[in-house]
Amino acid sequence: MSAKKKIPQKIAAMIDKALEAIIDQWYLSVSDYYITSEKKAENPEITVPEELKRFHDESGHRIKFNKGDLNFTYGLSLITGPDFCNLEVSVNNKVPDFNYAELVRRLAAYYQANKDKPIEGYKRLKRVCNKDVFLLQEDLQSCIKIETREGKADIIRLTFGIQDDYLEELVSDPPVFMDLIHQYCVAPLRRAYAEVFRSKRR
């Protein structure tokens, strides 16, 4: 669902910076367990392909895992237009026969249970709820799109419209704002995808 009012460019840039920081923090938190470009640069004897990569470009911010059974990419992007601003969280899935219906069910259940809860970390916004900042359609399942692509990874997209009424206050504390985006917009998809992925392997 799109917000109906244009987000100021300065605020949009701060949101995009938060998305970049989320990917960087995620990359650094797990890099010890994977072959990375940094490890290959430090040790030329490592000749195997990188197992963990991160990307920041005009398409957004992404982290790619490619180790053993893990072969997927998570993405964060800010999509703006003359009268809208959307935050898109995505994951590229190459797992065959993945249970998309169960993934959608889990995500819809999470947001139904949490959309009316107040955001945390801001003393002056105690009465502001998640749904007041990150807009989703009433039919939550319609916010989750599955793009199937023959011969390529499928793409799961979860899109939030960003409401600007409280953004100036929110972006005034970048670490807290980054955590808010991560906890409400990113972590639920990560968790639901991982749970469905693990259930398929049993």
Side-chain angles (χ1 to χ4, degrees):
M1 179 177 181
S2 299
K4 298 301 183 183
K5 188 176 179 181
K6 182 176 175 61
I7 302 294
Q9 186 174 357
K10 179 180 178 181
I11 299 296
M14 295 177 76
I15 298 172
D16 189 68
K17 196 68 178 176
L19 302 184
E20 179 181 350
I22 289 171
I23 292 296
D24 283 343
Q25 188 178 79
W26 188 354
Y27 179 91
L28 293 173
S29 71
V30 299
S31 60
D32 285 349
Y33 307 102
Y34 298 89
I35 300 299
T36 64
S37 61
E38 292 85 356
K39 289 179 181 177
K40 294 187 70 171
E42 293 173 358
N43 185 356
E45 294 184 2
I46 300 177
T47 58
V48 297
E50 295 166 39
E51 300 168 334
L52 181 70
K53 298 180 181 180
R54 57 180 164 178
F55 308 91
H56 302 294
D57 52 37
E58 64 278 359
S59 297
H61 312 283
R62 301 176 304 286
I63 181 169
K64 178 177 177 59
F65 296 83
N66 188 7
K67 180 179 181 179
D69 292 337
L70 302 179
N71 190 349
F72 44 76
T73 302
Y74 283 94
L76 299 175
S77 60
L78 190 68
I79 305 169
T80 60
D83 60 353
F84 72 89
C85 182
N86 290 343
L87 190 162
E88 182 182 275
V89 185
S90 65
V91 57
N92 288 21
N93 173 62
K94 291 186 177 181
V95 179
D97 302 319
F98 192 81
N99 191 342
Y100 291 119
E102 177 60 15
L103 175 72
V104 171
R105 186 197 68 78
R106 288 173 184 257
L107 284 171
Y110 173 84
Y111 287 109
Q112 185 62 46
N114 289 275
K115 62 187 178 72
D116 293 311
K117 292 184 178 180
I119 63 174
E120 299 180 355
Y122 295 90
K123 293 181 179 179
R124 292 194 291 180
L125 299 177
K126 290 183 178 180
R127 296 185 179 181
V128 177
C129 298
N130 289 312
K131 68 178 183 181
D132 298 326
V133 179
F134 303 109
L135 309 179
L136 292 169
Q137 296 177 6
E138 286 299 319
D139 178 12
L140 292 172
Q141 295 195 12
S142 66
C143 303
I144 307 163
K145 305 295 184 184
I146 312 296
E147 180 183 338
T148 57
R149 307 185 300 173
E150 187 174 352
K152 297 182 179 180
D154 297 339
I155 304 178
I156 305 158
R157 304 181 191 274
L158 175 59
T159 303
F160 303 84
I162 300 180
Q163 184 60 268
D164 75 334
D165 293 353
Y166 310 101
L167 277 178
E168 188 169 345
E169 176 71 21
L170 291 170
V171 300
S172 68
D173 192 334
V176 176
F177 183 54
M178 184 178 73
D179 188 62
L180 176 64
I181 294 174
H182 179 263
Q183 294 300 330
Y184 189 70
C185 303
V186 182
L189 178 58
R190 285 180 60 183
R191 182 167 54 249
Y193 180 84
E195 290 170 351
V196 176
F197 176 79
R198 285 195 295 266
S199 67
K200 177 177 172 55
R201 297 175 64 188
R202 293 188 187 125

